[in-house]
Amino acid sequence: MVQNMLSADYFILILASFLIMGVITTKLSSRFGVPALILFILLGMIAGSDGLGIIYFDNASQAQLIGIIALVIILFEGGLSTKWTTIKPVAVPSLVLATVGVLITTIIVAVAAKFVLDVTWLEGLLFGAIVGSTDAAAVFAALKEQNIKSRIGATLEAESGTNDPMAMFLTLAFIELLLMDQKGIWHIVGSFFLQMGLGLLLGLAMGWIASWIINRINLDSGGLYPIIAMGFALLTYSLTANVGGSGLLAVYVAAMLIGNSDLTYRHTIFRFNEGFAWMMQILMFIILGLLVFPGQLFTGAIILNGLLLSFILILIARPLAVLLSTIGFGYTWKEKTLLSWAGLRGAVPIVLATFPMIAGVENAQLFFNVVFFVVLTSALIQGSTISVFANKLGLTGPKKVTPLHSLELVSIGQANAEIVEYVVNEETKIVGQNLTEINFPNDVLINAIIRKGELVTPYGETVINENDILYILVSRKSKKELKKLLGERKSVAED
């Protein structure tokens, strides 16, 4: 009994230490320009058996489970934050990059892996599939504070949010061919369209159901809304995966639909999911760091092979995939160069590398170690230089506005009203008008204005300026009228 209590206390101590150190690590990451995932992974490697020996962890199945749950949560948060108006113009090229681009990358890397690692063609294709997709967690984190032009940023976000299903499909298909070798190419093609089709349809259906329920359930506490939203994210993945569809695609599609809907307690849901996604990202990368043994990773053969394959992936496979996938979509050479360089690899390849280990595929441990090294190289070299490349290529846009204020919203409970945040821009109809001139509905009230980081108390003669941040108390029935008054279809309550 006492021993069990001590074990539980030790586990809680380790978990608390990892979370606190992970958050501090993000601060160091932004200060020194090193991607956070690198520092999270190093934290896990240092705590592992080849480091300080605090934790011995070699269970690929548990790492895979934690990784998939974390990916679901990260994709859900990324989808919630994705504005359809931004993604729509680049939806087609992003999907081509997420499918054809991944396939081209897989084939090129497979040829390299065949000769560099001295494996069979099928094993080479498996390795190529594992590293074929860009990583949503890495890309979302890298772009969050960057001021890369919206078209390129939207393309990268949409591609990284939708190419994980393609990489997972190819990985599982090649594992099946390696282990059973009786399923033909037409079976694989049919399975691909089935998985993606079910993922898209069930994602749309679950997103609509979740939005409808969240807006009508009228819970007593505002803190319950993010919980039910997260529950729908996990439910969407599990239901879709259990009927043979792509659960990851379904989660991203559902999150986009939810995030672009008129949502009650939107601010609460977004903030909760942002924090939860960060927590899962910290834990996922630390667990993956624990899973690798530095003594096996940093050997001459792994370093040499990893550097060769990283070079081929970064400088040959990814640029060719971007070049061929974006033909006819109007991207300039500079934009294609940045799209090529920003194709970060992260958690997804490492998680996918656990599948061959669990399935008992020959050379699985070799693949895992080389994939791990490739991810470290990609994240360290590409992740820390995206903004430099963007500046050199002249592809930076207006600096992202980060509010300098903090506002705690109190749950309004059973009252059929909410406080929404609105950033005034040049297209807003009420710019330049004072409050007495604006014909607000009776149940709409501007509570506060943040202007250049300072609080402005609104009164009748207060003039609305561009870049003002308005906090507006509005009944739910008047939100559409308020939107019409402001002059933008999807501006009110968007985070």
Side-chain angles (χ1 to χ4, degrees), residues 25-26 28-30 32 34-44 286:
T25 296
T26 62
L28 295 174
S29 167
S30 60
F32 296 109
V34 179
L37 71 90
I38 291 286
L39 300 179
F40 297 154
I41 287 174
L42 289 178
L43 187 59
I286 289 175

Side-chain angles (χ1 to χ4, degrees), residues 179-229:
L179 296 180
M180 292 176 279
D181 201 28
Q182 78 264 17
K183 294 182 178 179
I185 186 67
W186 294 114
H187 171 85
I188 294 176
V189 172
S191 179
F192 168 77
F193 284 106
L194 177 64
Q195 286 190 31
M196 300 306 156
L198 285 174
L200 177 61
L201 291 175
L202 289 177
L204 290 171
M206 292 299 294
W208 183 86
I209 292 170
S211 301
W212 189 88
I213 290 177
I214 289 171
N215 283 330
R216 287 165 177 78
I217 196 169
N218 201 19
L219 298 170
D220 292 335
S221 171
L224 294 174
Y225 285 89
I227 303 297
I228 195 171

Side-chain angles (χ1 to χ4, degrees), residues 112-230:
K114 164 73 173 72
F115 297 102
V116 172
L117 301 178
D118 191 24
V119 295
T120 66
W121 283 110
L122 203 51
E123 288 174 328
L125 285 168
L126 173 59
F127 182 88
I130 291 172
V131 298
S133 73
T134 59
D135 183 73
V139 172
F140 290 155
L143 295 181
K144 251 187 189 344
E145 302 302 328
Q146 303 296 336
N147 59 330
I148 294 172
K149 282 193 174 179
S150 59
R151 188 187 188 209
I152 304 301
T155 303
L156 288 169
E157 287 189 16
E159 179 203 4
S160 64
T162 54
N163 68 5
D164 293 346
M166 180 68 173
M168 181 173 285
F169 166 79
L170 289 174
T171 299
L172 295 176
F174 290 133
I175 289 175
E176 286 184 3
L177 289 174
L178 276 167
L179 296 180
M180 292 176 279
D181 201 28
Q182 78 264 17
K183 294 182 178 179
I185 186 67
W186 294 114
H187 171 85
I188 294 176
V189 172
S191 179
F192 168 77
F193 284 106
L194 177 64
Q195 286 190 31
M196 300 306 156
L198 285 174
L200 177 61
L201 291 175
L202 289 177
L204 290 171
M206 292 299 294
W208 183 86
I209 292 170
S211 301
W212 189 88
I213 290 177
I214 289 171
N215 283 330
R216 287 165 177 78
I217 196 169
N218 201 19
L219 298 170
D220 292 335
S221 171
L224 294 174
Y225 285 89
I227 303 297
I228 195 171
M230 182 56 61

Side-chain angles (χ1 to χ4, degrees), residues 99-116:
T99 50
V100 177
V102 170
L103 186 59
I104 293 171
T105 303
T106 297
I107 293 171
I108 295 172
V109 174
V111 174
K114 164 73 173 72
F115 297 102
V116 172

Side-chain angles (χ1 to χ4, degrees), residues 79-93:
L80 285 177
S81 305
T82 300
K83 294 180 174 65
W84 174 243
T85 52
T86 304
I87 294 297
K88 185 179 178 181
V90 298
V92 175

